[in-house]
Amino acid sequence: MHLYLHIPFCRQACHYCDFHFSTNISNKGRVVEAIAREMVLRKSYLPKADIETIYFGGGTPSMLSEQELEMLLDTIRRHFKVNSDAEITLEANPDDLDKNKLIQLQKAGINRLSIGIQSFHGPHLQFLNRVHSAEEAQQCVRMAQDAGISNISIDLIYAIPSETHEILQSDIQNAFALNVSHISAYCLTIEPQTAFGSWLKKKKIKPIDEEFAAQQFEILTRSLAENGYEQYEISNFAKSGQYSSHNSSYWKQRPYLGVGPSAHSYDGKSRQYNISNNAKYLQAIAEEIIPATIEQLSAADQTNEYLLTGLRTKWGVDRAKLQTLSLGTFQAAHQKELAAMIEKGWLVDQDGTLLLTQNGKLFADRIASDLFID
Ligand code: SF4
């Protein structure tokens, strides 16, 4: 089983971000206590099974104090059985990480860090409204490695307005110099409820140029492959098989419990979405109510989710499983489309497993949605 904890606080709002967080940290301690309480209330959400991965996401979990992190981990260990080799990831921003903090994280049991670097180019960091500098980002990765946390992932964003291929190449070289085990690289998307979304509406910035973004994706995937990073999911690259076990569990439709404001959970048949409001979350948990919306997944939902996430991975989607999930309707509904996509060189069928080609990866979401069932 897999456990996700959403820590909904950030120092400042990045201009592209539409995750749930608050920059008002006056009730951080109370929200952290409520997250611990929610875990206890929901410990039977999934059938009894050992915890294989724990993921502190957000928001900015590196804003947790030593006591808050220890209290959460202690609650997990008291109420769940955690595998001795469990992957325990904490998302961190470079400005929160100094030598002492890193030693503290390592001692608490964090064995994987996902560091939100985004870019090593100063003007881009300012444009994105990141708190840290490129130098801080480089220093904190080296300090984390010195503190004994060797499993480090960094996030990068490409196709930023004013990006050039030279800047991207320099970002990639900077990432290689840090010798991290994992890189997540995302194309900038402009979401309506963000600063960028409002600037786009006011024509202060231009929309992302799709052709330029495709060229950047091509540069990125080629450079990373040449340097030993395997693209095991469209936006995720790992050295020597050091995949994110936690994120892989989402892509493989494994059940997980998510706690905290805005966290999602999945039990194989339904999804639950916690309320994205810290005050309402606190109030509900104080009354021992889980403030979640429940969505029962139909056969079509399960088939379409499998297509959407599975096709993006190196494991692809299994045609027999598609038939089962769709109650026997997938094959008849999409025989022609599948043949056309294979003919175009977007998909290959490898012994009953559908896999995207490198060309197909450019249209992954469109290919998946064209194969959706009603
Ligand atoms: S990108 Fe991360 S640090 Fe920035 S606002 Fe979003 S959650 Fe917070």
Side-chain angles (χ1 to χ4, degrees):
M1 138 172 186
H2 305 274
L3 181 61
Y4 173 82
L5 296 92
H6 190 87
I7 310 301
F9 298 99
C10 292
R11 298 202 189 279
Q12 68 186 35
C14 300
H15 287 158
Y16 55 91
C17 180
D18 76 340
F19 292 138
H20 169 66
F21 65 90
S22 169
T23 51
N24 172 3
I25 58 167
S26 58
N27 58 5
K28 178 160 74 84
R30 288 176 58 220
V31 171
V32 172
E33 275 168 26
I35 293 172
R37 184 81 198 115
E38 186 191 355
M39 272 194 284
V40 180
L41 291 171
R42 299 183 78 187
K43 64 182 178 187
S44 313
Y45 173 72
L46 294 173
K48 273 217 175 314
D50 298 355
I51 292 198
E52 294 158 65
T53 67
I54 301 171
Y55 195 101
F56 290 88
T60 310
S62 50
M63 285 173 70
L64 289 171
S65 68
E66 183 175 4
Q67 293 73 17
E68 287 166 345
L69 179 65
E70 276 179 2
M71 186 273 286
L72 289 171
L73 283 165
D74 187 51
T75 306
I76 296 169
R77 291 187 181 116
R78 270 190 292 120
H79 293 277
F80 301 87
K81 185 166 178 316
V82 182
N83 279 354
S84 57
D85 61 350
E87 175 191 275
I88 309 181
T89 305
L90 181 123
E91 285 181 352
N93 277 342
D95 41 293
D96 286 327
L97 299 178
D98 59 18
K99 201 174 161 197
N100 286 340
K101 178 88 178 183
L102 284 158
I103 292 171
Q104 197 190 95
L105 293 175
Q106 198 267 347
K107 279 196 179 148
I110 302 299
N111 52 29
R112 185 172 184 274
L113 281 178
S114 172
I115 306 181
I117 289 180
Q118 319 308 354
S119 172
F120 294 96
H121 184 63
H124 278 176
L125 290 171
Q126 281 168 18
F127 178 69
L128 298 169
N129 206 31
R130 300 290 296 171
V131 178
H132 61 89
S133 67
E135 292 70 32
E136 275 177 305
Q138 284 159 326
Q139 263 172 23
C140 86
V141 172
R142 294 203 176 100
M143 280 191 296
Q145 289 162 336
D146 290 346
I149 306 180
S150 57
N151 196 353
I152 296 176
S153 177
I154 62 170
D155 284 355
L156 293 177
I157 296 181
Y158 62 93
I160 296 169
S162 89
E163 178 101 84
T164 62
H165 294 335
E166 288 69 34
I167 297 175
L168 176 65
Q169 261 146 355
S170 154
D171 270 356
I172 296 169
Q173 290 311 318
N174 275 307
F176 291 159
L178 294 171
N179 196 25
V180 288
S181 53
H182 191 281
I183 297 175
S184 298
Y186 302 99
C187 180
L188 180 69
T189 46
I190 299 187
E191 305 292 348
Q193 305 302 331
T194 62
F196 280 169
S198 124
W199 294 358
L200 183 66
K201 225 163 128 191
K202 294 177 190 154
K203 299 198 169 39
K204 277 166 94 180
I205 52 171
K206 288 189 186 153
I208 309 294
D209 178 335
E210 282 186 21
E211 204 179 312
F212 179 75
Q215 289 166 4
Q216 294 239 302
F217 180 71
E218 161 71 25
I219 292 171
L220 189 82
T221 48
R222 193 170 6 93
S223 307
L224 289 169
E226 283 167 6
N227 283 274
Y229 287 88
E230 181 192 3
Q231 187 180 23
Y232 70 107
E233 197 268 351
I234 286 192
S235 305
N236 287 277
F237 305 80
K239 263 193 173 171
S240 326
Q242 293 182 78
Y243 309 144
S244 161
S245 301
H246 186 85
N247 289 340
S248 300
S249 74
Y250 295 154
W251 304 324
K252 292 179 178 175
Q253 271 77 41
R254 303 271 155 77
Y256 61 90
L257 170 63
V259 292
S262 84
H264 298 179
S265 302
Y266 172 64
D267 65 1
K269 296 267 177 271
S270 69
R271 289 198 181 275
Q272 297 200 3
Y273 307 94
N274 277 6
I275 194 162
S276 299
N277 179 304
N278 292 358
K280 288 183 181 163
Y281 173 80
L282 275 176
Q283 197 184 341
I285 297 296
E287 292 165 19
E288 308 219 324
I289 294 167
I290 306 302
T293 311
I294 302 174
E295 182 193 5
Q296 296 299 333
L297 299 175
S298 65
D301 293 334
Q302 292 192 46
T303 310
N304 299 343
E305 283 192 5
Y306 178 50
L307 279 164
L308 200 59
T309 50
L311 270 180
R312 294 174 58 93
T313 68
K314 66 173 263 190
W315 303 286
V317 292
D318 177 43
R319 289 179 82 149
K321 185 169 171 184
L322 283 172
Q323 266 312 82
T324 312
L325 287 174
S326 65
L327 307 176
T329 62
F330 179 80
Q331 206 68 3
H334 287 303
Q335 209 149 3
K336 275 195 194 143
E337 276 108 327
L338 273 179
M341 286 172 182
I342 291 170
E343 176 80 26
K344 277 185 195 156
W346 290 353
L347 278 179
V348 287
D349 183 338
Q350 219 170 67
D351 303 324
T353 300
L354 296 170
L355 298 163
L356 287 177
T357 61
Q358 209 52 32
N359 199 16
K361 285 177 186 169
L362 290 170
F363 318 105
D365 291 350
R366 191 178 127 198
I367 292 171
S369 66
D370 284 352
L371 295 174
F372 281 179
I373 60 162
D374 297 326

